[in-house]
Amino acid sequence: INDAGQIVGDLSVSGDTHRAFYYSNGILTDLGTLVGDGSLLFDINNFGIAVGESYQAPWIHPYTYDGSIIKDLFYELGFSSGVRGINDAGKMVGWESNLGWGSHAFIYNDGEIKNLGYFDDGLEVGW
């Protein structure tokens, strides 16, 4: 929830299928499953820009949603990555999996990715 009272999250609709929602000005928007089998929204900044992930086996697509436009960040951030937070400056934090080579945390800002380091091999990220 941001300072304007906009809320993001997800609902479990059947089994492991989740659908992201965006609530603003009394209107609940169901984002559906986006590109595949499910979608989640994790965070929203004070400008109403939300970040989340959509699952399309075997990939996870990170995306932003501003109340009207969904922007898929799949090709900008990596073939299996996710975004979990966004601040008011538009900086995003997330993770990327290198499929067998481990996963790393990153900050994404204005088209640039800064690697924050790799996770322990035993740590599972994503869904």
Side-chain angles (χ1 to χ4, degrees), residues 59-62 72-83 95-99 104 106 108 113:
W59 313 116
I60 296 174
H61 287 243
D72 188 344
L73 301 173
F74 183 74
Y75 295 104
E76 293 175 48
L77 296 179
F79 49 82
S80 193
S81 60
V83 179
W95 61 272
E96 179 184 22
S97 173
N98 292 324
L99 297 182
H104 67 93
F106 66 79
Y108 179 68
I113 299 172

Side-chain angles (χ1 to χ4, degrees), residues 106-125:
F106 66 79
I107 292 178
Y108 179 68
N109 184 42
D110 203 24
E112 294 185 26
I113 299 172
K114 179 180 179 184
N115 185 340
L116 299 178
Y118 284 85
F119 297 119
D120 181 339
D121 289 341
L123 183 63
E124 185 175 324
V125 296

Side-chain angles (χ1 to χ4, degrees), residues 2-96:
N2 66 13
D3 292 343
Q6 296 171 305
I7 302 169
V8 298
D10 64 273
L11 300 169
S12 177
V13 292
S14 66
D16 290 335
T17 301
H18 292 258
R19 291 168 58 157
F21 71 83
Y22 185 97
Y23 179 82
S24 181
N25 298 318
I27 299 170
L28 180 68
T29 302
D30 177 353
L31 297 184
T33 58
L34 298 178
V35 298
D37 302 323
S39 63
L40 305 163
L41 281 173
F42 293 104
D43 195 19
I44 185 168
N45 68 15
N46 286 319
F47 295 100
I49 300 171
V51 295
E53 301 167 6
S54 183
Y55 179 72
Q56 181 181 26
W59 313 116
I60 296 174
H61 287 243
Y63 68 95
T64 62
Y65 180 69
D66 67 2
S68 61
I69 297 172
I70 296 169
K71 181 179 180 187
D72 188 344
L73 301 173
F74 183 74
Y75 295 104
E76 293 175 48
L77 296 179
F79 49 82
S80 193
S81 60
V83 179
R84 297 295 174 96
I86 185 169
N87 68 13
D88 290 342
K91 292 181 181 179
M92 296 177 238
V93 294
W95 61 272
E96 179 184 22

